[in-house]
Amino acid sequence: MKKLNRIIVAVAFMTGGWCSAQSQSNVIEDFKPSSSNQPGKEYPQVNSEGRVRVQISAPEANRVQLDIGAVKYDLKKDTGGVWTGESAPQDEGFHYYQLNIDGASVPDPASLYYYGASRWGSGIEVPAKDQDFYALKNVPHGQIREQLYFSKTNDKMRRCFVYTPPDYDKDMQKRYPVLYLQHGGGEDETGWSAQGKACLIMDNLIAEGKAVPFIIVMDNGSWRMPARDRSVPRGERPAGPWPPKGWADGFMKTLLDDIIPMVDANYRTLADQQHRAMAGLSMGGMQTRIITLANPDVFAYMGMFSGGSISTEDIANAPGFKEKVKLVFISFGSRELENRRSGFGGDPKENTEKLKEAGMNAHFYVSPQTAHEWQTWRRSLYQFAPLLFK
Amino acid sequence: MKKLNRIIVAVAFMTGGWCSAQSQSNVIEDFKPSSSNQPGKEYPQVNSEGRVRVQISAPEANRVQLDIGAVKYDLKKDTGGVWTGESAPQDEGFHYYQLNIDGASVPDPASLYYYGASRWGSGIEVPAKDQDFYALKNVPHGQIREQLYFSKTNDKMRRCFVYTPPDYDKDMQKRYPVLYLQHGGGEDETGWSAQGKACLIMDNLIAEGKAVPFIIVMDNGSWRMPARDRSVPRGERPAGPWPPKGWADGFMKTLLDDIIPMVDANYRTLADQQHRAMAGLSMGGMQTRIITLANPDVFAYMGMFSGGSISTEDIANAPGFKEKVKLVFISFGSRELENRRSGFGGDPKENTEKLKEAGMNAHFYVSPQTAHEWQTWRRSLYQFAPLLFK
């Protein structure tokens, strides 16, 4: 059953369309409210298989669907006008979803809301076996600070979020390294703290002595990315590197000219290459690749989560990178590698092995049983952070 | 026309039900996207009369309504299945709203979301003539910090938001006064920074030299409040003070035993009565009244926005309050006073006048042309903040 649903999901992705699925039979009835519900809400719920069950009152509606993982599942109406139904099993971790009421795609009024897929909308937490590493615990906590600043490059006010570690306000003489951590396409500066739970991951790692305390800056890297023309068959699309040259220049200039100087002026940073890292997921990983290859004097550590890889050819064309960069970290979800399409610039594991052979400190991590989704990136940060600034 | 709509709203409030209104004729066609829209969304829009126009695609729906200000307005469907319609004119400022699709109450997928009315849902900004005082400007900005802490009183982790003024991280020797600022019923610790724009109000006041820099702590004061039994006719309800004795004790204990010590331990505060203030809106104003009357050794300044008033009898029963408290600030929206019901413990303006006669520094402020809503409370903070810590 689980395998069949996977195939349905895969087909829906590949065709770019959607299919309608009936509520499932043989569902295990151990559903519990999700941790991502609004306060006091009984639905949505998740069971031990990872199925998501939603419920909404819509007495006059003709059709109500749950839209999750690129599949729409029909809900059933009871005599009181309340619609209920569930999805196929979902991967552990966080997923965006929405409801469809008589053709209107809307957020579930019972869930918390997150910015992803270029909209504020519903998200749901499917409990994971390893969720302890991002649990809210009674340990010393850092702060997440909303930082407003003026960007000369863009001639407007911008916003980022800055994580300061638990001891930041204790010793006013101490200075800290900085990680610039970027979200994916269709997401924004809120993603890493809300969906990513980056700050809880760091608080827990620091409490256990597994990572050194550092500052994390989460800014908005959304610069328009040229769309691939999907009407052209894959084999017939024009060759050349992806993303195309010049695409990351807008964010690179803002990062180098506005964000880093603002952070170094307003926070107690160690403001040199040895104490500066950049990482990102998906689009943010591609940006990290372009920006760190072009600026080995600025960043000493780099991480790409589900965002491609770096080859020995890349290094050959980036003077200083091999000598100055102390860590290259590449990660993917296992399902991404299983269903991998071309466009990563070669096999990412093989590329990373070749970097090691060439003498670089290169790491390759695979998140088990996850796809291009937040659980992959939470785990990637959890693996990446202990390697930094040591 | 405007007056008629007001009457409809008033009737809807009084009956506790709702009525359905057709889209308006003679609407001025100068609608613009609201500043509270999600990035890139053309709708919802607001015109110069303050009418709110929404639009949503729902091809298979039978009925779609805009639900704002306790009135539901029917939308009209075009041949493409897109529904559009607008409300009567709304007051300047911020309003909660939702859509109703075939009986389902859901957030508008095009708006930003706010916590109020005990749910995360849609809100809309109606441009105000005085909106400059809470505009985002290129002035020095403070930070909003998400602060996690363990509460012994509640035996769990809690969260508050802390505003630190623009110069907080410049001079590490400087210490600051603190305002504890509370939201209203059905809202939470996010209200004052999101809907209230408290931090922008403070940044602008400080930039203009109109307020001294101070820290603001915004915590969650939601303790269950006993419901008034509305099935009992007003005149026959049991007499006695409102809110009933003991209601605010839960939050008072958490504030005094957990929140204030945590803030004094983690921020550079001036940790004495002379440098501590409390204020709140609606329920938060009632809490401020009870907590400051009972603790004149803890707070030197107090503000109640749309949350009742303080009488000379209250003062007589609160030893030390008259001598130690340096400011009592009472405010309301003008429409609240026009349509005032009993239950405020007497006329708030008259009560405030009597406090002045008794020798207290008492202020009474009325927000023009606003009701029990956020524009009243933004303006109240703008009037209140310059009176603090001077």
Side-chain angles (χ1 to χ4, degrees):
Chain A
M1 193 68 207
K2 197 160 176 177
K3 188 154 188 183
L4 177 63
N5 288 317
R6 291 266 162 62
I7 292 166
I8 292 172
V9 172
V11 168
F13 262 122
M14 285 191 294
T15 60
W18 56 270
C19 52
S20 170
Q22 288 300 316
S23 286
Q24 313 291 315
S25 55
N26 303 321
V27 166
I28 298 174
E29 284 299 335
D30 58 357
F31 287 89
K32 293 189 181 71
S34 173
S35 63
S36 54
N37 287 8
Q38 292 190 24
K41 299 290 185 187
E42 279 300 303
Y43 285 86
Q45 300 188 342
V46 184
N47 78 352
S48 55
E49 301 170 280
R51 293 184 195 273
V52 174
R53 176 175 282 174
V54 295
Q55 184 172 90
I56 187 167
S57 172
E60 302 155 30
N62 306 306
R63 190 171 67 152
V64 180
Q65 295 175 306
L66 163 62
D67 181 356
I68 187 169
V71 181
K72 288 180 177 163
Y73 301 89
D74 288 332
L75 310 189
K76 281 186 184 161
K77 182 160 83 165
D78 71 11
T79 51
V82 175
W83 297 75
T84 309
E86 61 278 330
S87 73
Q90 305 294 308
D91 287 344
E92 296 185 346
F94 177 90
H95 304 276
Y96 300 114
Y97 77 102
Q98 59 190 353
L99 302 182
N100 191 287
I101 302 172
D102 284 344
S105 291
V106 294
D108 182 344
S111 84
L112 294 179
Y113 303 129
Y114 304 85
Y115 194 75
S118 300
R119 54 77 173 130
W120 283 96
S122 290
I124 189 158
E125 196 67 52
V126 174
K129 284 184 281 295
D130 60 346
Q131 64 191 1
D132 187 68
F133 80 85
Y134 51 87
L136 173 62
K137 300 176 187 178
N138 185 9
V139 297
H141 286 279
Q143 296 170 353
I144 305 168
R145 307 181 182 194
E146 186 186 64
Q147 177 78 51
L148 301 172
Y149 64 98
F150 183 77
S151 162
K152 280 186 197 166
T153 304
N154 302 279
D155 193 27
K156 64 174 181 183
M157 296 298 300
R158 286 175 54 92
R159 176 176 80 160
C160 65
F161 289 94
V162 178
Y163 167 82
T164 54
D167 59 354
Y168 185 82
D169 280 331
K170 301 295 181 201
D171 177 359
M172 294 302 168
Q173 304 309 313
K174 192 172 173 188
R175 305 187 77 88
Y176 295 83
V178 186
L179 165 64
Y180 293 83
L181 185 60
Q182 290 304 123
H183 57 83
E187 295 167 342
D188 69 7
E189 69 274 21
T190 64
W192 266 111
S193 49
Q195 297 96 303
K197 296 186 183 283
C199 312
L200 294 177
I201 292 170
M202 291 309 304
D203 290 340
N204 291 336
L205 279 172
I206 293 167
E208 294 178 23
K210 291 181 180 167
V212 302
F214 54 83
I215 293 165
I216 302 180
V217 177
M218 297 160 281
D219 207 299
N220 191 326
S222 300
W223 259 255
R224 188 171 295 278
M225 192 159 174
R228 284 183 206 246
D229 186 351
R230 295 196 185 275
S231 67
V232 179
R234 187 176 305 278
E236 298 170 25
R237 288 177 199 165
W242 184 264
K245 193 167 159 46
W247 157 72
D249 290 354
F251 181 61
M252 179 156 65
K253 188 165 165 49
T254 299
L255 178 62
L256 297 179
D257 294 355
D258 292 330
I259 302 172
I260 293 177
M262 180 277 293
V263 169
D264 285 337
N266 288 280
Y267 294 83
R268 299 198 315 280
T269 64
L270 290 160
D272 58 22
Q273 186 260 4
Q274 291 290 297
H275 299 94
R276 202 179 286 125
M278 182 174 184
L281 72 93
S282 194
M283 180 188 82
M286 300 181 200
Q287 290 172 322
T288 298
R289 179 178 173 281
I290 294 170
I291 293 171
T292 58
L293 280 169
N295 296 281
D297 289 328
V298 179
F299 301 97
Y301 302 81
M302 68 92 77
M304 299 168 65
F305 313 155
S306 304
S309 66
I310 285 195
S311 69
T312 46
E313 289 76 23
D314 293 327
I315 306 291
N317 293 321
F321 188 90
K322 182 167 178 282
E323 297 73 29
K324 293 175 183 165
V325 170
K326 299 172 77 174
L327 173 71
V328 171
F329 179 95
I330 307 293
S331 72
F332 283 93
S334 65
R335 300 197 206 292
E336 292 184 278
L337 297 175
E338 289 160 22
N339 309 313
R340 203 165 65 81
R341 307 188 302 206
S342 63
F344 285 129
D347 179 278
K349 186 167 191 293
E350 203 176 287
N351 278 350
T352 312
E353 288 300 327
K354 283 188 181 162
L355 290 188
K356 279 190 211 173
E357 287 165 22
M360 288 207 76
N361 180 27
H363 283 247
F364 188 70
Y365 168 72
V366 179
S367 163
Q369 305 288 98
T370 60
H372 198 74
E373 58 200 10
W374 275 100
Q375 193 70 1
T376 301
W377 307 322
R378 290 170 178 170
R379 289 174 178 166
S380 296
L381 178 62
Y382 182 68
Q383 299 292 328
F384 177 64
L387 305 174
L388 296 180
F389 312 120
K390 281 183 174 170
Chain B
M1 195 65 210
K2 196 160 177 177
K3 187 153 188 184
L4 177 63
N5 288 318
R6 291 265 162 62
I7 292 167
I8 292 171
V9 173
V11 168
F13 262 121
M14 285 191 293
T15 60
W18 56 269
C19 51
S20 171
Q22 288 301 316
S23 286
Q24 313 291 315
S25 55
N26 303 321
V27 166
I28 298 174
E29 285 298 336
D30 57 358
F31 286 89
K32 292 189 182 70
S34 173
S35 62
S36 53
N37 287 8
Q38 291 190 25
K41 300 290 186 188
E42 279 299 303
Y43 285 86
Q45 300 188 342
V46 184
N47 78 352
S48 55
E49 301 169 280
R51 293 185 197 271
V52 174
R53 176 174 282 173
V54 295
Q55 184 171 91
I56 188 168
S57 172
E60 302 155 31
N62 306 306
R63 189 171 65 152
V64 180
Q65 296 175 306
L66 163 62
D67 181 356
I68 188 169
V71 180
K72 288 180 177 161
Y73 301 89
D74 288 333
L75 309 189
K76 281 185 185 160
K77 183 160 83 163
D78 71 12
T79 52
V82 175
W83 297 74
T84 308
E86 59 277 330
S87 74
Q90 306 293 309
D91 286 345
E92 295 185 346
F94 177 89
H95 304 276
Y96 300 114
Y97 77 102
Q98 58 190 353
L99 301 181
N100 191 287
I101 302 172
D102 285 344
S105 291
V106 294
D108 182 344
S111 84
L112 294 179
Y113 303 129
Y114 304 85
Y115 194 74
S118 299
R119 54 76 172 132
W120 283 97
S122 291
I124 190 160
E125 196 66 53
V126 174
K129 282 183 283 296
D130 59 347
Q131 65 191 0
D132 186 69
F133 79 85
Y134 51 86
L136 173 62
K137 299 177 188 177
N138 185 10
V139 297
H141 286 278
Q143 295 170 353
I144 305 168
R145 306 182 182 193
E146 185 185 64
Q147 176 77 50
L148 302 172
Y149 65 97
F150 183 77
S151 161
K152 281 185 196 167
T153 305
N154 302 278
D155 192 28
K156 65 174 182 183
M157 297 297 301
R158 286 173 54 90
R159 176 176 78 161
C160 65
F161 289 94
V162 179
Y163 167 81
T164 54
D167 58 356
Y168 186 81
D169 280 330
K170 300 296 179 200
D171 177 359
M172 293 303 167
Q173 304 308 314
K174 192 173 173 188
R175 305 186 78 87
Y176 295 83
V178 186
L179 165 64
Y180 293 84
L181 185 61
Q182 291 303 123
H183 58 83
E187 295 168 342
D188 70 8
E189 69 274 21
T190 63
W192 266 109
S193 49
Q195 297 96 303
K197 297 186 182 283
C199 313
L200 295 177
I201 293 170
M202 290 309 305
D203 290 340
N204 290 337
L205 278 172
I206 293 167
E208 293 178 23
K210 291 181 179 168
V212 301
F214 55 83
I215 293 166
I216 303 180
V217 177
M218 297 160 281
D219 207 300
N220 190 327
S222 300
W223 260 255
R224 189 172 292 279
M225 193 161 173
R228 286 182 204 247
D229 186 351
R230 296 199 183 272
S231 66
V232 179
R234 187 175 305 278
E236 298 169 25
R237 288 177 199 164
W242 184 264
K245 194 168 157 44
W247 157 72
D249 289 356
F251 182 60
M252 180 156 65
K253 188 165 165 49
T254 299
L255 179 62
L256 297 179
D257 294 355
D258 292 329
I259 302 172
I260 293 176
M262 179 278 292
V263 169
D264 285 336
N266 287 281
Y267 294 83
R268 298 198 315 281
T269 64
L270 290 161
D272 58 21
Q273 185 260 5
Q274 290 291 295
H275 299 94
R276 203 178 286 124
M278 182 175 183
L281 71 93
S282 194
M283 180 187 82
M286 300 181 201
Q287 290 172 322
T288 298
R289 180 178 173 279
I290 293 170
I291 293 171
T292 57
L293 279 168
N295 297 280
D297 288 329
V298 179
F299 301 97
Y301 302 80
M302 69 92 79
M304 301 167 64
F305 312 156
S306 304
S309 67
I310 285 195
S311 69
T312 47
E313 289 75 23
D314 294 326
I315 306 292
N317 293 322
F321 189 90
K322 182 167 178 284
E323 296 75 25
K324 293 175 184 165
V325 170
K326 298 173 76 174
L327 173 70
V328 170
F329 179 95
I330 307 294
S331 72
F332 283 93
S334 65
R335 300 196 208 290
E336 293 185 276
L337 297 175
E338 288 160 22
N339 310 314
R340 203 164 66 78
R341 307 187 304 204
S342 64
F344 285 129
D347 179 279
K349 187 167 192 293
E350 202 176 287
N351 279 347
T352 312
E353 288 300 326
K354 283 187 180 162
L355 290 188
K356 279 191 211 173
E357 287 166 22
M360 289 206 76
N361 180 27
H363 284 247
F364 188 70
Y365 168 71
V366 179
S367 162
Q369 305 289 97
T370 61
H372 198 73
E373 59 200 9
W374 275 100
Q375 194 69 0
T376 300
W377 307 322
R378 291 170 178 170
R379 289 174 178 166
S380 294
L381 177 63
Y382 182 69
Q383 298 293 326
F384 177 65
L387 304 174
L388 296 180
F389 311 121
K390 281 183 173 170

